[in-house]
Amino acid sequence: MNTFANGAAYVGREFVPIAQASISVLDWGFTRSDAVYDVVHVFNRGFFRLEDHLDRFERAMQARRLQPPEDRAQITAVLHKCVRLSGLENAYVAMVCSRGRPRAGGSRRPDDCENHLIAYAIPWIDVIPPEVQERGAHLWIASTPRIPDACKDPTVKNYQWGDLTSGLMEAHDNGFDTAILCDAEGFVTEGPGFNIFIVKDGRVLTPDRGSLHGITRLSVMELCAMQGIPASVEPIPRDVLEDADEVFAATTAGGIMPVSRVGKRILGNDRPGPISARLKQQYWQRHSQGWHYTAVE
Amino acid sequence: MNTFANGAAYVGREFVPIAQASISVLDWGFTRSDAVYDVVHVFNRGFFRLEDHLDRFERAMQARRLQPPEDRAQITAVLHKCVRLSGLENAYVAMVCSRGRPRAGGSRRPDDCENHLIAYAIPWIDVIPPEVQERGAHLWIASTPRIPDACKDPTVKNYQWGDLTSGLMEAHDNGFDTAILCDAEGFVTEGPGFNIFIVKDGRVLTPDRGSLHGITRLSVMELCAMQGIPASVEPIPRDVLEDADEVFAATTAGGIMPVSRVGKRILGNDRPGPISARLKQQYWQRHSQGWHYTAVE
């Protein structure tokens, strides 16, 4: 019996079973949500686009002036070891840098804090359950506006999910699977844990604002280029979403996930559209062929 | 030797020394900052305005649909016991309700989570150090705009401090003690952990937006009424702050804290103004007289 079978974590510079992985209730990563993170997935014992995720994690840490004791090589080794300890073939692997607590008690200065790294590998999570992906997700357009980019940079992956959680609760209240948020000007942004894509007249579009620069989003753009499908990042007014031919979501924790309903509108035949389905199929097929693959050591 | 001398906490339905008080790195209170909290202070072995803090905490939990197993009477008993165990005469006492984790693995629905209560009593914290309060705090007007009320209700006390932390880092970069944020329309809101007050022509003003309904703010309004000082809650454009006669901050963790500089502007004689000083003196004098006092049991 592997004690790490439910997941392996690295906290306080030690490896522990996930059930023991915790942080102080006084850590500013909790009390001020002063932390950045990233999530990479492992499929068939290999990381997908590991360097891209590490690049983004480093940019996020720099943006918030967070620096753990571990350098990039050590962070990489920690991630490999978490997966190895867990024995998981497919996994959700998180890296977090938290502000921590002031070295001397009483300080209220972020610069005085001892930043620290948390990492863990746990069994694969789908942001949208597989059976829902099969029929296509039902997407609610939330009334809660997305937090403006000027207040909080959405490209710095963070845990401040208040607006996303509000949108998600609205979606569930209305019998929908998940939500998409628009900003105060009525432009489409992202949902709780995923980027959104719209297919219209054979073109694939994704929002230029209020959104994470998703690594799966990047993969979608690459797949579109390979398939000869025109794709672009641009402002998307809400009515363009409502008038889409197809819609799909993209995230590390689930891949490419077709949507079959947007609000009261039923897309196509209430099933995943052809371009969404083709991209999803390509995404997983290329995974099997070792696309952007780094074997777990 | 009291093992609780550095603070006593209640987590996982048990009382533990503060050093052992932690939450799972998978708790949505951390990974989605999906939690609400409140802080009450203890002065001379008595809570200040305990029922007001509990009222606000309950409203916040309702707003986010959080409900721990403990009812109000049990939460009250937990707070008393944390303070009693710590042996502290003056303390910072926090109550937190976190979303927790889904009862069944894999769910992404907030409603499926097991909410839980965290509470702790630790030694008194001043948001602005006492020596800085003495000379008057130097306040930086941050360029980061406050998150709009429509995106995140500022009256629901939360840990999503990204904009406040950005403002605080700007302040420190510029050699200031702390920051005040304006919203995108240029109206004054609040700072990291405090409400702001402006004194102009003998009137006391505090913002009507982007701000917590502070319990100390309420105390200031009561003190103004007792002292015959006109006071109101209203929209405050940034130039009114810059043109103030006096400025002070108000928070549970520090009380009434005069400001002597706002950006490049030096107020009065670079020392706390007379109305601010009088309100501060009254605030603490009434504390000694048992104002809104609930003895720790």
Side-chain angles (χ1 to χ4, degrees):
Chain A
M1 175 60 193
N2 173 6
T3 57
F4 292 97
N6 292 322
Y10 174 84
V11 282
R13 312 190 84 159
E14 288 181 3
F15 291 89
V16 296
I18 190 66
Q20 292 167 33
S22 62
I23 62 164
S24 167
V25 296
L26 303 181
D27 193 297
W28 291 11
F30 179 51
T31 65
R32 297 182 178 194
S33 198
D34 195 357
V36 298
Y37 78 112
D38 214 292
V39 174
V40 57
H41 74 251
V42 164
F43 180 74
N44 281 349
R45 300 179 189 273
F47 290 100
F48 182 65
R49 307 195 81 130
L50 178 58
E51 297 305 319
D52 290 329
H53 285 281
L54 287 166
D55 285 347
R56 188 174 65 183
F57 184 49
E58 286 193 337
R59 284 196 303 271
M61 288 193 288
Q62 280 161 17
R64 299 309 290 174
R65 300 193 208 163
L66 290 162
Q67 190 170 23
E70 297 82 359
D71 65 15
R72 182 167 172 139
Q74 290 168 319
I75 294 170
T76 304
V78 162
L79 298 178
H80 278 278
K81 186 161 177 184
C82 283
V83 180
R84 195 166 64 246
L85 284 170
S86 75
L88 292 164
E89 290 187 24
N90 303 312
Y92 173 105
V93 183
M95 57 203 96
V96 187
C97 185
S98 175
R99 186 70 63 188
R101 297 188 60 198
R103 288 185 188 81
S107 169
R108 302 271 297 176
R109 300 176 72 94
D111 284 354
D112 290 345
C113 291
E114 197 158 345
N115 307 163
H116 60 103
L117 180 72
I118 301 162
Y120 52 87
I122 54 177
W124 179 273
I125 293 169
D126 275 300
V127 162
I128 296 172
E131 64 277 15
V132 172
Q133 292 184 42
E134 206 57 39
R135 68 148 154 81
H138 297 171
L139 193 68
W140 178 254
I141 304 179
S143 67
T144 306
R146 182 79 174 118
I147 291 172
D149 294 7
C151 303
K152 185 165 64 72
D153 183 347
T155 70
V156 173
K157 202 166 164 71
N158 67 79
Y159 284 148
Q160 295 165 65
W161 268 45
D163 52 348
L164 299 172
T165 297
S166 293
L168 193 57
M169 291 197 295
E170 274 183 58
H172 296 159
D173 287 349
N174 287 282
F176 283 69
D177 299 310
T178 189
I180 183 77
L181 273 69
C182 296
D183 65 16
E185 287 73 43
F187 288 94
V188 177
T189 65
E190 65 183 359
F194 56 84
N195 285 121
I196 193 84
F197 286 82
I198 284 156
V199 183
K200 184 70 183 175
D201 299 331
R203 290 178 67 226
V204 169
L205 313 175
T206 194
D208 65 344
R209 62 195 66 189
S211 303
L212 183 70
H213 290 172
I215 306 292
T216 310
R217 188 177 88 150
L218 176 63
S219 301
V220 169
M221 300 310 268
E222 291 179 4
L223 288 171
C224 285
M226 291 174 195
Q227 300 276 314
I229 301 167
S232 73
V233 177
E234 59 184 63
I236 301 182
R238 177 187 168 131
D239 59 5
V240 171
L241 169 64
E242 292 179 304
D243 194 39
D245 295 333
E246 299 179 34
V247 173
F248 61 90
T251 172
T252 285
I256 293 172
M257 305 175 299
V259 167
S260 57
R261 297 188 185 183
V262 176
K264 288 182 181 164
R265 180 133 186 281
I266 295 174
L267 304 176
N269 58 354
D270 206 11
R271 282 286 174 279
I275 292 181
S276 310
R278 187 162 119 214
L279 290 169
K280 178 179 177 180
Q281 183 272 334
Q282 279 291 312
Y283 177 81
W284 289 112
Q285 183 180 316
R286 287 185 185 271
H287 263 70
S288 310
Q289 294 165 347
W291 193 36
H292 297 304
Y293 183 92
T294 304
V296 175
E297 286 157 11
Chain B
M1 177 58 194
N2 173 7
T3 56
F4 291 98
N6 292 324
Y10 174 84
V11 283
R13 312 192 84 160
E14 288 182 2
F15 292 90
V16 296
I18 189 67
Q20 293 169 30
S22 62
I23 62 164
S24 167
V25 298
L26 302 181
D27 193 297
W28 290 12
F30 179 51
T31 64
R32 298 183 178 193
S33 199
D34 195 357
V36 298
Y37 78 113
D38 214 291
V39 174
V40 57
H41 74 249
V42 164
F43 179 75
N44 282 347
R45 301 179 190 275
F47 289 101
F48 182 63
R49 307 195 80 134
L50 178 58
E51 297 305 319
D52 290 331
H53 285 282
L54 288 166
D55 285 347
R56 188 174 64 184
F57 184 49
E58 286 192 338
R59 283 196 304 270
M61 289 191 288
Q62 281 161 17
R64 300 308 291 175
R65 302 191 208 165
L66 291 162
Q67 188 170 24
E70 298 81 359
D71 64 17
R72 181 166 174 141
Q74 289 167 321
I75 293 170
T76 305
V78 162
L79 298 178
H80 278 278
K81 187 163 176 181
C82 284
V83 181
R84 194 165 66 245
L85 285 169
S86 75
L88 293 164
E89 290 186 23
N90 303 312
Y92 172 106
V93 184
M95 58 203 96
V96 187
C97 186
S98 175
R99 186 71 62 189
R101 297 187 60 199
R103 286 184 189 82
S107 170
R108 303 272 299 175
R109 301 175 73 93
D111 285 354
D112 289 346
C113 290
E114 196 157 348
N115 307 164
H116 60 102
L117 179 72
I118 300 162
Y120 52 88
I122 54 176
W124 180 275
I125 293 169
D126 276 299
V127 163
I128 297 173
E131 64 278 13
V132 172
Q133 291 185 40
E134 206 57 41
R135 68 149 155 79
H138 298 171
L139 193 68
W140 177 255
I141 305 179
S143 67
T144 307
R146 182 80 174 115
I147 292 172
D149 295 8
C151 302
K152 184 164 65 72
D153 183 346
T155 70
V156 173
K157 203 166 163 70
N158 66 78
Y159 283 147
Q160 294 165 65
W161 268 46
D163 53 346
L164 299 172
T165 296
S166 293
L168 193 58
M169 292 197 293
E170 275 185 56
H172 295 159
D173 287 348
N174 287 282
F176 284 69
D177 299 310
T178 188
I180 183 79
L181 275 69
C182 296
D183 64 16
E185 286 73 42
F187 288 95
V188 177
T189 66
E190 66 182 359
F194 56 84
N195 286 120
I196 193 83
F197 286 81
I198 283 156
V199 184
K200 185 68 183 175
D201 300 331
R203 289 178 67 225
V204 169
L205 313 175
T206 195
D208 64 344
R209 61 194 67 188
S211 303
L212 182 70
H213 290 172
I215 307 292
T216 310
R217 187 177 90 151
L218 177 63
S219 300
V220 169
M221 299 311 268
E222 290 179 4
L223 287 171
C224 285
M226 290 174 197
Q227 301 275 315
I229 301 168
S232 73
V233 178
E234 59 185 61
I236 301 181
R238 177 187 168 130
D239 58 6
V240 170
L241 168 64
E242 291 179 302
D243 195 39
D245 296 332
E246 300 180 34
V247 173
F248 61 90
T251 171
T252 285
I256 293 172
M257 305 175 300
V259 168
S260 58
R261 298 186 186 184
V262 176
K264 289 180 180 164
R265 177 128 189 283
I266 296 174
L267 304 176
N269 58 354
D270 207 12
R271 283 286 174 275
I275 291 179
S276 309
R278 188 162 119 218
L279 290 170
K280 180 180 176 180
Q281 182 271 333
Q282 279 290 313
Y283 177 80
W284 290 111
Q285 183 179 315
R286 287 185 184 270
H287 263 72
S288 310
Q289 294 165 347
W291 192 36
H292 296 305
Y293 183 94
T294 304
V296 175
E297 286 157 13

